[in-house]
Amino acid sequence: MGCFGVARLALQKHDEGLLTAGAFDLDGLIDKEIVYRSSFTCKSCDNLCDIPRLEVGGKRYPFGGRCSLYTNKRKKRRVAKDATDYSELRTRMLFEEFAPNPSTLVPRSPKVVGVPLAFSVHSVWPIYAWFFHSLGVRTVLSDKIVAEGIAKQESNYCFPAEIAHGAVQDVIDQGVDYLFLPQFRDMPSHEAGNVHACLCPLTQGLPFFSRHAFGLDDSQVLRPLVTFKHGWDSCQHEFEDVARKLGFTKQEGAAAFKKGLREYQHFLEAYAEAGRELLQEIKDHPDRIYVALLGRPYNAFTRDANMGIPRKITSQGVSVVPYDMIYQPDDEIFPNMYWYYGQQDMKAVRQVKKIDNLYLTWVSNFSCAPDSFMLH
């Protein structure tokens, strides 16, 4: 069937004027030897594919990889480079501009808290970071996904949950005193009435499946219930309990949590303003193409999970726009959308529908229950 497919493609390219007719000796083609030469690692994106070199008829060709890069290289195609990945701006704002500088920490405890870079950390990091920084407690973010941790899964989870297991293993390996594993339950809803804005069960369940997978004792885990459904201060008491577990007073915990909320609100305001400016830029340049990147922050915007998709898009001269940078909170979507990220995604879809030069890409993962009925 592969031979028939190649033959059909050859006819199609001939009809399109991309392939000239020629005479070929079938026996000569069959007799050509294909020799595998040394391979190399492609570093064009974060997939780091192993690319074999094939030698056919005295000519060498790079072959393989997860994308068509080495097919396109032979076409001598020129692509524009004046494109921006605005999800990188989001990451920089969240983890650098509106997070505390670790070098300014005034230590007030010898304890170190390990924070797996997964799930809610990609949404509300300034709250967590400023809370611990204000208390004077050093935090360590995971910086790699350890395969040993993924192997400890006790069920078949989605890819982001696999990443979470690998990140938990990484902070454990760093010898931290505590693991910060929040139960991230809900956020303020963008929908009227009593519509929830929940996070998926695996996001909520992080501290529970981690405890069993890694044999953690409750004394090792900081596990606040993070719920903002009833207001930004509705889980303050949970962080007060975390502060007490670390040896601080309830009042110190409250002050640190309020500092975290203030800094997070500053981030939200600045990010919304950047989104308004970006939307105006898109409308002012109808000759440029932009792609709204939908999904969740922990799969669409992270190199651990998005398989280099934003970089592939920008390599074609197309700018990438994070969905939570352009959605309008008051846009109407279909009723009872009770997933927090789903509300933002659907409202971003409304923006895509309104703006002619704004298109859509949705990053999902196998085993994602919310996406199973949102994607269509």
Side-chain angles (χ1 to χ4, degrees), residues 95 113-117 121 125 139-144 170-171 174:
F95 289 96
V113 176
V115 183
L117 187 55
V121 175
W125 174 240
T139 56
V140 174
L141 275 170
S142 62
D143 58 10
K144 58 180 176 291
D170 182 47
V171 291
Q174 295 184 53

Side-chain angles (χ1 to χ4, degrees), residues 300-325:
F301 306 147
T302 70
R303 292 186 176 184
D304 292 332
N306 66 22
M307 298 293 122
I309 288 172
R311 189 183 298 182
K312 289 177 172 61
I313 294 173
T314 56
S315 74
Q316 304 304 303
V318 176
S319 292
V320 172
V321 179
Y323 70 91
D324 61 352
M325 198 176 194

Side-chain angles (χ1 to χ4, degrees), residues 29 32-35 53-61:
L29 292 174
K32 280 187 178 179
E33 186 179 4
I34 301 176
V35 180
R53 290 184 176 94
L54 304 185
E55 183 176 308
V56 184
K59 294 183 179 180
R60 291 191 178 186
Y61 303 94

Side-chain angles (χ1 to χ4, degrees), residues 39-350:
S39 62
F40 65 94
T41 300
C42 176
K43 297 182 179 179
S44 295
C45 77
D46 299 296
N47 285 326
L48 302 178
C49 296
D50 186 62
I51 307 297
R53 290 184 176 94
L54 304 185
E55 183 176 308
V56 184
K59 294 183 179 180
R60 291 191 178 186
Y61 303 94
F63 178 80
R66 298 187 186 185
C67 73
S68 59
L69 174 64
Y70 292 97
T71 301
N72 290 336
K73 278 187 179 299
R74 294 198 292 275
K75 295 178 180 176
K76 307 296 184 185
R77 181 181 178 192
R78 298 180 65 183
V79 296
K81 297 297 181 184
D82 55 342
T84 302
D85 177 7
Y86 288 96
S87 69
E88 292 185 350
L89 169 64
R90 182 191 189 279
T91 299
R92 187 166 65 250
M93 292 177 68
L94 193 74
F95 289 96
E96 297 177 20
E97 295 178 19
F98 290 90
N101 185 338
S103 67
T104 63
L105 177 72
V106 179
R108 298 179 60 214
S109 170
K111 302 296 185 182
V112 178
V113 176
V115 183
L117 187 55
F119 291 137
S120 65
V121 175
H122 294 288
S123 293
V124 295
W125 174 240
I127 298 178
Y128 301 158
W130 279 105
F131 171 75
F132 289 112
H133 191 83
S134 300
L135 288 176
V137 177
R138 187 166 75 90
T139 56
V140 174
L141 275 170
S142 62
D143 58 10
K144 58 180 176 291
I145 310 303
V146 180
E148 180 186 347
I150 296 176
K152 291 180 179 178
Q153 293 181 108
E154 295 189 330
S155 183
N156 291 322
Y157 295 116
C158 64
F159 187 38
E162 290 185 14
I163 288 173
H165 281 78
V168 169
Q169 184 69 61
D170 182 47
V171 291
I172 290 175
D173 291 346
Q174 295 184 53
V176 299
D177 298 289
Y178 294 99
L179 278 87
F180 181 66
L181 302 175
Q183 182 188 356
F184 190 42
R185 194 179 74 182
D186 49 44
M187 291 286 279
S189 179
H190 294 302
E191 293 299 281
N194 294 317
V195 177
H196 297 284
C198 300
L199 285 305
C200 84
L202 293 181
T203 302
Q204 296 186 43
L206 173 65
F208 307 107
F209 59 69
S210 296
R211 180 179 60 189
H212 286 282
F214 294 92
L216 301 173
D217 187 88
D218 279 343
S219 63
Q220 301 171 272
V221 178
L222 305 174
R223 192 188 69 197
L225 172 61
V226 181
T227 169
F228 296 116
K229 176 183 177 181
H230 299 293
W232 288 110
D233 59 351
S234 56
C235 63
Q236 177 177 310
H237 64 284
E238 295 280 341
F239 283 83
E240 291 171 358
D241 290 342
V242 170
R244 282 202 293 259
K245 191 168 183 177
L246 290 169
F248 299 93
T249 66
K250 173 182 176 180
Q251 291 73 22
E252 288 173 317
F257 178 70
K258 289 175 181 176
K259 171 66 173 176
L261 279 183
R262 286 196 300 271
E263 296 299 330
Y264 182 60
Q265 293 296 334
H266 293 159
F267 161 75
L268 291 178
E269 292 165 6
Y271 191 57
E273 177 59 28
R276 286 189 287 270
E277 294 175 0
L278 178 55
L279 278 173
Q280 191 59 51
E281 174 192 317
I282 296 171
K283 294 173 183 177
D284 289 344
H285 296 88
D287 56 323
R288 299 180 187 173
I289 297 176
Y290 296 79
V291 168
L293 192 63
L294 279 68
R296 287 159 187 72
Y298 51 78
N299 69 351
F301 306 147
T302 70
R303 292 186 176 184
D304 292 332
N306 66 22
M307 298 293 122
I309 288 172
R311 189 183 298 182
K312 289 177 172 61
I313 294 173
T314 56
S315 74
Q316 304 304 303
V318 176
S319 292
V320 172
V321 179
Y323 70 91
D324 61 352
M325 198 176 194
I326 59 167
Y327 78 94
Q328 301 298 302
D330 297 331
D331 269 348
E332 290 187 12
I333 57 176
F334 58 83
N336 198 29
M337 170 43 65
Y338 48 81
W339 301 112
Y340 170 64
Y341 297 127
Q343 291 178 0
Q344 296 181 335
D345 278 319
M346 291 301 135
K347 291 174 187 286
V349 169
R350 300 291 297 178

